[in-house]
Amino acid sequence: MDPKGITEMLLIFLEERGSAVHIPSSFDSSKDNTNRLIPFVGKWKGHSITKRSGVYGATIAEADTIIVLEIDDEDQLIKDITSVSSGGDVITNVQWTGTLSNNLIKFNGGFQVTLLPGGMYMGCPSYIAKHVAASNPFHLEFCWLESPRKRQRLVRTYDIEGLVVSSTYFYETKL
């Protein structure tokens, strides 16, 4: 990101096992940006593993997740996230509302998602420079489709000094 917090460059390495190199047809950047959103719309069920680091020792936490992304009658995006800890003792539910403009989703509350070609997206605070300047914690998210019905996400949380506090890996299946 540049000093103003605007995404300037994102490097993505496409890797395959085996001798054949396969670049997904959805990596064609000339496609309509709305079509980049469609693969992510719907209900996703999955599991997450969070690894935390810190001065008091590292911890690992697991949870089951349900994420629903819908487009309402007014073309607003509604994202509903529910997470249940592996012990079932902690249930978290968060709902975001946002709008799509070109390849950018801006959610109320200051989070944005850039839809990338190839069934990927990158999420970050809308004003990340302000978060860093104000010494506020923040998180970054990267998601990629493994297939039309399976995706993986990685969320990294940073503390007020910009150090990684936790990494959460999600593996989700579309219902």
Side-chain angles (χ1 to χ4, degrees), residues 13-171:
F13 296 91
L14 297 175
E15 300 177 334
E16 289 272 337
R17 286 188 180 186
S19 59
V21 176
H22 171 72
I23 296 178
S25 61
S26 59
F27 202 72
D28 178 10
S29 62
S30 66
K31 291 191 175 190
D32 178 17
N33 291 323
T34 306
N35 289 337
R36 290 186 191 176
L37 175 68
I38 299 304
F40 300 106
V41 173
K43 187 174 187 177
W44 295 83
K45 182 177 181 179
H47 190 76
S48 69
I49 298 174
T50 301
K51 294 183 180 184
R52 292 182 184 87
S53 58
V55 294
Y56 302 109
T59 62
I60 296 178
E62 295 188 37
D64 291 318
T65 58
I66 298 279
I67 296 176
V68 179
L69 180 63
E70 300 174 318
I71 304 171
D72 70 9
D73 296 339
E74 298 172 3
D75 285 337
Q76 293 282 311
L77 296 170
I78 310 295
K79 186 173 185 177
D80 189 65
I81 306 165
T82 302
S83 178
V84 179
S85 65
S86 60
D89 53 341
V90 178
I91 299 173
T92 306
N93 184 266
V94 178
Q95 189 176 76
W96 291 352
T97 303
T99 56
L100 175 66
S101 176
N102 293 322
N103 66 343
L104 185 66
I105 302 170
K106 288 197 173 193
F107 287 104
N108 297 345
F111 195 76
Q112 68 184 27
V113 170
T114 303
L115 299 168
L116 303 167
M120 299 177 278
Y121 71 73
M122 164 78 175
C124 65
S126 299
Y127 306 102
I128 196 163
K130 288 183 181 180
H131 281 267
V132 174
S135 296
N136 290 330
F138 62 93
H139 73 276
L140 303 176
E141 176 178 352
F142 187 73
C143 177
W144 63 99
L145 292 173
E146 183 179 294
S147 71
R149 302 202 72 76
K150 295 195 184 293
R151 72 180 185 186
Q152 298 180 51
R153 294 187 299 129
L154 179 63
V155 176
R156 280 251 168 106
T157 304
Y158 298 84
D159 68 9
I160 61 173
E161 296 174 354
L163 301 173
V164 176
V165 174
S166 68
S167 295
T168 304
Y169 169 74
F170 297 81
Y171 188 76

